[in-house]
Amino acid sequence: MEDYTYRQTTPILAPGESILWRGKPKKGAFIATKSLTMLPIAVIWLCFDSVFIIAAIEGGGPWFLIPFMLLHLMPVWIWLGSTITAGKRWKNTNYFVTNRRIIIQGGFLAVNESSVFYKDLRNAQLRVGLLDKMFHTGDILFDNGMVYHQKNQHMPMLENLADAHAVYNRIQKIILDIQTDMEYPNAYRPDTNPGYNTDYRP
């Protein structure tokens, strides 16, 4: 597994919280995913709008038609922006699995951070899409019970992970061990495992 330096990106941990695993997306796969996901829509949109823009220029159409069509090309600008900023967003993307939660960092100008706490986690699944097969990567998705209605909202995930199956198995074991520890009746705990507040031992 690749090694990275996290001096500037390590999240602020709660007392007693420790990092059990950390990682980043595979750079080539991450950039390709951001660049190619909307590419077919952008190309079709550009070809369609170009016909009207060329016709307006050659036919001496109303001057306001060109700014309107440039605005109408918004999906193309969104794709272009996603492609241009992919490298910076990869740099800001980091994943952490602690003994309390799963932390996902990402963003362009600023680093945003979100957490999935084990008590809210219902399921984890591995997804390997077409681009993942090309780059030998995969995504790990976490079902936290929330319903996402808006298009820009999606299930928390660790995307474009190299050696995704090994990472998935490791994270599944951590989740199972910690959730089992949380649910184990306190009154029946053996002396060697007094409770969830102790350090996790894989």
Side-chain angles (χ1 to χ4, degrees):
M1 191 175 300
E2 298 180 69
D3 186 26
Y4 300 95
T5 301
Y6 289 85
R7 291 190 181 92
Q8 296 180 347
T9 57
T10 300
I12 298 176
L13 303 177
E17 185 177 17
S18 58
I19 296 174
L20 308 177
W21 176 88
R22 62 181 70 193
K24 286 180 72 71
K26 189 175 181 179
K27 186 174 183 178
F30 182 88
I31 293 177
T33 298
K34 302 306 179 186
S35 302
L36 298 178
T37 299
M38 285 188 61
L39 180 59
I41 297 175
V43 170
I44 294 172
W45 208 282
L46 179 60
C47 293
F48 179 80
D49 282 10
S50 295
V51 174
F52 292 94
I53 294 174
I54 294 172
I57 294 174
E58 293 181 348
W63 65 269
F64 63 83
L65 184 60
I66 295 177
F68 170 78
M69 294 308 298
L70 291 176
L71 182 63
H72 193 260
L73 284 170
M74 188 60 67
V76 177
W77 309 137
I78 292 175
W79 165 79
L80 188 61
S82 179
T83 302
I84 293 174
T85 62
K88 177 64 174 179
R89 284 186 287 147
W90 172 82
K91 185 178 180 181
N92 290 339
T93 300
N94 301 286
Y95 305 135
F96 302 89
V97 177
T98 79
N99 57 338
R100 297 288 186 270
R101 55 187 168 142
I102 296 163
I103 303 170
I104 302 172
Q105 293 180 340
F108 174 51
L109 296 177
V111 178
N112 304 314
E113 186 174 294
S114 60
S115 298
V116 180
F117 289 88
Y118 295 119
K119 64 182 181 62
D120 301 321
L121 188 58
R122 295 186 177 184
N123 186 35
Q125 56 183 299
L126 175 65
R127 181 182 68 187
V128 180
L130 179 60
L131 286 176
D132 288 313
K133 291 180 180 179
M134 294 173 57
F135 287 93
H136 304 289
T137 60
D139 307 326
I140 302 176
L141 291 80
F142 302 100
D143 181 4
N144 57 357
M146 295 184 63
V147 178
Y148 301 95
H149 299 287
Q150 299 181 14
K151 291 183 179 180
N152 61 342
Q153 293 180 326
H154 55 80
M155 191 179 295
M157 66 176 175
L158 314 182
E159 57 182 328
N160 303 126
L161 291 176
D163 198 12
H165 290 84
V167 175
Y168 175 71
N169 290 335
R170 182 176 181 184
I171 290 178
Q172 278 281 64
K173 183 180 186 305
I174 292 173
I175 292 172
L176 177 63
D177 288 347
I178 292 180
Q179 284 194 339
T180 301
D181 186 47
M182 291 170 63
E183 296 173 2
Y184 197 94
N186 289 328
Y188 298 99
R189 291 185 183 276
D191 293 337
T192 55
N193 184 15
Y196 173 57
N197 291 327
T198 59
D199 290 337
Y200 171 69
R201 297 177 179 85

